[in-house]
Amino acid sequence: MNLAEIIRTAVGNTFRSRLRTTLTVLAIFVGAFTLTLTNGIGTGIRNYISSQTSSLGGDDLITVVKASLREGGGFGASSEGPTEYDPDKTMLTGGPGFSFEALTSADIAAIESIPGIIEAEPLRIVAPDYVQFRDGPRYELPVNPAPPELSVDLVAGSYFAARGTYSDAGVGEPAGELYLPVAFVEPLGFASPAEAIGNEVTIGITDAFGAQHELTARVAGVQQASLFGDSALLSHDLSQALFSAQTTGLPDAVTGVYQSATARFALGASAAQLDAIKEALAAEGLSGMTMADQLGSFQTVLDAIIGVLNAFAIIALVAAGFGIINTLLMSVQERTREIGLMKAMGLGAGKIFVLFSAEAVFIGFLGSAIGSVVAIALGSVISNVLANGLLSDLQGLRILSFDWVSVVGVIVLVMLIAFLAGTLPARSAARLDPIDALRYE
């Protein structure tokens, strides 16, 4: 009996007891179905994040904070005990009872002096009161603190040039630019995103003494709703102008401290060059993270969540493996005389082992293939419904996306588990004594 005959015989034997085989296949189906769905969720979220972040650019940016903020000592005592008071350390409050070490103008200068750093821009937190177009209604304006170099997904308009400043504001001096969220277009009075481009809006902001200031800004682009498009993105000069208005009358000790800074390095810098920049930052008591570093942390969390979900599916598959063992052990018992006859006719123990192992693998293939196909079909329907309904604001998000390599991997994994489960009954069949087997009643 050659391999093709063994496989053909194994497939035929599988359907001798259809009810028993069907129940075993259903048990495998549950595990394969779950595993395929959880992998689909992971793939869908990763693809969406990848598409969003790839359009952002920012490959030449590194976020810099004080090293103490990343080392666990930023929000209270470290594990090594209380920190000794340093009168030269500049602190920022992050809410009642919380404070952390802040960057100063001297830190910004130190960052810019590091070889490989082209420029550094401190993060300025601004909180505008409202945005208004002409004499229309006023709306609260949330601001994205991200650096304006990021290439967000624009519905209309163009990206900031240089520092995002234009000189034809009609107020006698240059003014800054912003990307307006698409949700603000119609409420502000624009007929379409394209109509908003080039128009000037008024932004109101209140300083620490309660005086309200109004600044003029030009709409350079309208950004699509996404993970990063829910707030307005300001150009460097507009952010600086709003920050200056917000801190009017405050001393330099207050206005010259920052939570973090964004530094720009040469695009395409090697890993060794980035490591050198990070080491130079560490020597200044600073810590830097590139966009890739930040996404890596997020991916680690996502992988951990998907891993936990996959673990439950694996448990279901292991349970199904015991079903395979039970099915084949019963099959061996029912076919004891048949096995004895095959041995008497010259079929060796190795081929008997392969025959029963092939039956186990085929059962695993049936359950995993059906489970994966049903998961893909159902997942695609669910993904389409969510994309056109609940998640319609997140353009391009497919909550379930299936990678064929991953699907094939699930099927192969289940077949491997089935093979391992089938080794016990297969070995039992291979070790039967032909004479005893033929006498079995």
Side-chain angles (χ1 to χ4, degrees):
M1 183 179 288
N2 56 36
L3 182 60
E5 291 174 335
I6 290 176
I7 294 175
R8 186 165 57 251
T9 303
V11 172
N13 290 338
T14 302
F15 295 104
R16 281 189 172 187
S17 178
R18 294 185 179 179
L19 178 59
R20 191 165 61 215
T21 299
T22 299
L23 293 176
T24 306
V25 167
L26 285 176
I28 297 172
F29 166 88
V30 173
F33 176 83
T34 306
L35 192 57
T36 303
L37 277 184
T38 54
N39 281 341
I41 293 173
T43 301
I45 295 176
R46 287 191 192 95
N47 288 345
Y48 179 65
I49 293 173
S50 177
S51 66
Q52 292 291 308
T53 55
S54 63
S55 65
L56 284 176
D59 295 333
D60 58 345
L61 301 177
I62 183 169
T63 301
V64 182
V65 298
K66 279 291 189 179
S68 59
L69 189 58
R70 290 249 166 83
E71 293 168 356
F75 294 96
S78 67
S79 58
E80 298 178 355
T83 303
E84 185 177 351
Y85 171 68
D86 181 359
D88 296 324
K89 181 184 293 186
T90 303
M91 306 295 290
L92 275 176
T93 58
F98 295 100
S99 63
F100 55 91
E101 191 174 2
L103 298 177
T104 65
S105 298
D107 291 319
I108 304 301
I111 296 171
E112 291 183 326
S113 68
I114 292 175
I117 296 293
I118 299 173
E119 64 178 353
E121 184 75 19
L123 172 68
R124 298 178 176 88
I125 304 297
V126 295
D129 300 328
Y130 64 85
V131 62
Q132 179 184 30
F133 176 58
R134 295 178 181 168
D135 296 325
R138 297 176 176 181
Y139 295 95
E140 295 181 359
L141 182 67
V143 171
N144 186 346
E149 288 86 358
L150 297 184
S151 302
V152 295
D153 185 13
L154 295 181
V155 178
S158 58
Y159 295 117
F160 297 136
R163 300 183 64 82
T165 304
Y166 74 112
S167 57
D168 57 343
V171 293
E173 59 182 22
E177 297 180 308
L178 80 160
Y179 300 144
L180 198 66
V182 68
F184 280 65
V185 171
E186 290 187 10
L188 285 176
F190 301 112
S192 66
E195 185 180 306
I197 305 303
N199 278 288
E200 297 167 6
V201 293
T202 300
I203 300 177
I205 192 166
T206 302
D207 61 30
F209 302 98
Q212 192 172 69
H213 306 261
E214 289 189 342
L215 289 84
T216 301
R218 176 179 176 269
V219 180
V222 175
Q223 56 183 341
Q224 181 62 270
S226 69
L227 288 176
F228 308 96
D230 298 329
S231 306
L233 188 62
L234 312 180
S235 67
H236 282 298
D237 282 4
L238 179 56
S239 179
Q240 175 60 55
L242 288 170
F243 185 77
S244 297
Q246 182 176 267
T247 57
T248 299
L250 296 178
D252 291 342
V254 176
T255 61
V257 295
Y258 314 98
Q259 176 180 332
S260 64
T262 301
R264 187 163 62 89
F265 52 85
L267 188 62
S270 66
Q273 291 172 319
L274 288 177
D275 289 340
I277 289 175
K278 291 178 182 179
E279 289 175 3
L281 288 171
E284 297 288 344
L286 306 170
S287 177
M289 286 186 71
T290 63
M291 178 72 76
D293 294 333
Q294 297 175 54
L295 291 178
S297 301
F298 185 85
Q299 291 285 10
T300 299
V301 175
L302 177 61
D303 290 341
I305 295 173
I306 298 300
V308 171
L309 295 177
N310 285 344
F312 288 105
I314 296 295
I315 292 172
L317 289 174
V318 171
F322 288 102
I324 293 175
I325 294 174
N326 179 65
T327 297
L328 291 183
L329 282 176
M330 293 181 67
S331 180
V332 170
Q333 185 177 14
E334 292 172 353
R335 293 154 56 190
T336 299
R337 296 189 65 186
E338 179 184 331
I339 295 169
L341 182 60
M342 287 190 291
K343 283 197 168 186
M345 294 177 64
L347 197 65
K351 290 187 176 180
I352 296 290
F353 180 88
V354 172
L355 176 63
F356 279 87
S357 295
E359 290 182 29
V361 171
F362 181 66
I363 292 174
F365 171 75
L366 278 180
S368 60
I370 296 173
S372 295
V373 169
V374 173
I376 292 172
L378 182 62
S380 298
V381 172
I382 294 174
S383 188
N384 287 333
V385 170
L386 291 176
N388 296 322
L390 186 63
L391 303 176
S392 59
D393 289 338
L394 299 176
Q395 296 294 322
L397 173 59
R398 306 283 299 181
I399 195 66
L400 284 159
S401 182
F402 300 96
D403 176 15
W404 286 106
V405 174
S406 177
V407 173
V408 171
V410 169
I411 295 175
V412 171
L413 174 63
V414 175
M415 291 173 66
L416 176 61
I417 293 175
F419 170 76
L420 295 175
T423 54
L424 178 61
R427 185 182 178 189
S428 175
R431 297 176 64 181
L432 281 175
D433 183 87
I435 296 176
D436 293 338
L438 288 171
R439 291 176 178 174
Y440 181 80
E441 295 295 336

